[in-house]
Amino acid sequence: MTDLKSAKENRKADLRTPTALSEKACIDIAAEVNALLADTFAIYMKTKNFHWHMSGPHFRDFHLLLDEQAEQIFATTDAIAERVRKLGRTTLRSVGHIKKLQRLLDNDADFVTPSDMLAELREDNIQLAAYMRETHDMCAELGDVATTSLLENWIDEAERRVWFLFESSRTK
């Protein structure tokens, strides 16, 4: 019984990290960054889905492109989550939590053409960059230079993915 009581007490432990930012700023920024994290997992899964289901005459090039992009996207997830923890808040805990917060749509279709895959991922990356810009603006207003700095790099990465997806899908 003592172990159960101790476990319940630990679940209520204060995990807030000391910071110069206000409590409200930390709560607001963490909520936005957690939504970005959910979107990042969503776009990662969609990119891997399309990578696994790629077909057609450009299979190899597109398959490798999407694998490279998925690796880049996944690599940001830990940094995003750790930023939330540095703000003294908690982050995502499950696939259900991701689903609750994500704004980017899933694609569960049995078949998607290669051109539609590239177009959908291009639009998702454009939208993800837009969400990042909104979060960047809020963080700048609240004086969170650390999160704004990280977001600037992630926006650049998303824009690079857009560029590659755009150029890969051009017919002229």
Side-chain angles (χ1 to χ4, degrees):
M1 193 62 138
T2 307
D3 289 337
L4 182 60
K5 182 179 177 185
S6 177
K8 285 182 180 180
E9 287 173 5
N10 284 341
R11 280 188 235 140
K12 295 179 183 179
D14 186 3
L15 299 176
R16 288 178 292 180
T17 305
T19 178
L21 296 170
S22 73
E23 180 73 11
K24 182 175 180 349
C26 289
I27 291 168
D28 292 348
I29 294 166
E32 290 300 315
V33 175
N34 270 329
L36 286 177
L37 181 58
D39 287 328
T40 302
F41 275 115
I43 201 169
Y44 166 75
M45 189 65 220
K46 185 184 287 186
T47 303
K48 287 304 280 190
N49 170 23
F50 290 169
H51 158 80
W52 294 322
H53 295 99
M54 184 55 69
S55 63
H58 300 289
F59 166 79
R60 185 178 192 287
D61 292 335
F62 294 164
H63 182 77
L64 294 174
L65 171 67
L66 297 184
D67 198 34
E68 177 185 298
Q69 289 193 355
E71 286 178 17
Q72 180 188 63
I73 293 164
F74 187 74
T76 65
T77 59
D78 195 51
I80 296 169
E82 286 182 358
R83 186 63 203 145
V84 173
R85 291 294 295 124
K86 289 174 192 173
L87 292 166
R89 312 313 303 171
T90 59
T91 193
L92 302 178
R93 293 180 176 81
S94 66
V95 172
H97 198 179
I98 291 167
K99 186 70 179 162
K100 181 179 169 188
L101 296 180
Q102 82 181 65
R103 297 160 291 189
L104 297 177
L105 300 177
D106 293 331
N107 184 324
D108 296 323
D110 287 339
F111 178 78
V112 181
T113 66
S115 61
D116 286 346
M117 289 178 181
L118 298 182
E120 188 170 333
L121 288 172
R122 184 183 67 240
E123 293 306 311
D124 284 348
N125 277 283
I126 289 169
Q127 186 58 59
L128 181 62
Y131 291 144
M132 289 179 177
R133 280 186 182 85
E134 291 170 9
T135 304
H136 181 280
D137 291 347
M138 182 190 73
C139 292
E141 257 182 51
L142 296 172
D144 183 359
V145 294
T147 305
T148 59
S149 175
L150 291 169
L151 284 162
E152 289 164 4
N153 290 319
W154 298 332
I155 291 165
D156 184 57
E157 289 176 359
E159 289 177 342
R160 184 175 192 271
R161 290 190 300 270
V162 169
W163 174 40
F164 274 59
L165 291 162
F166 171 72
E167 291 297 343
S168 296
S169 62
R170 287 178 54 144
T171 57
K172 291 184 181 187

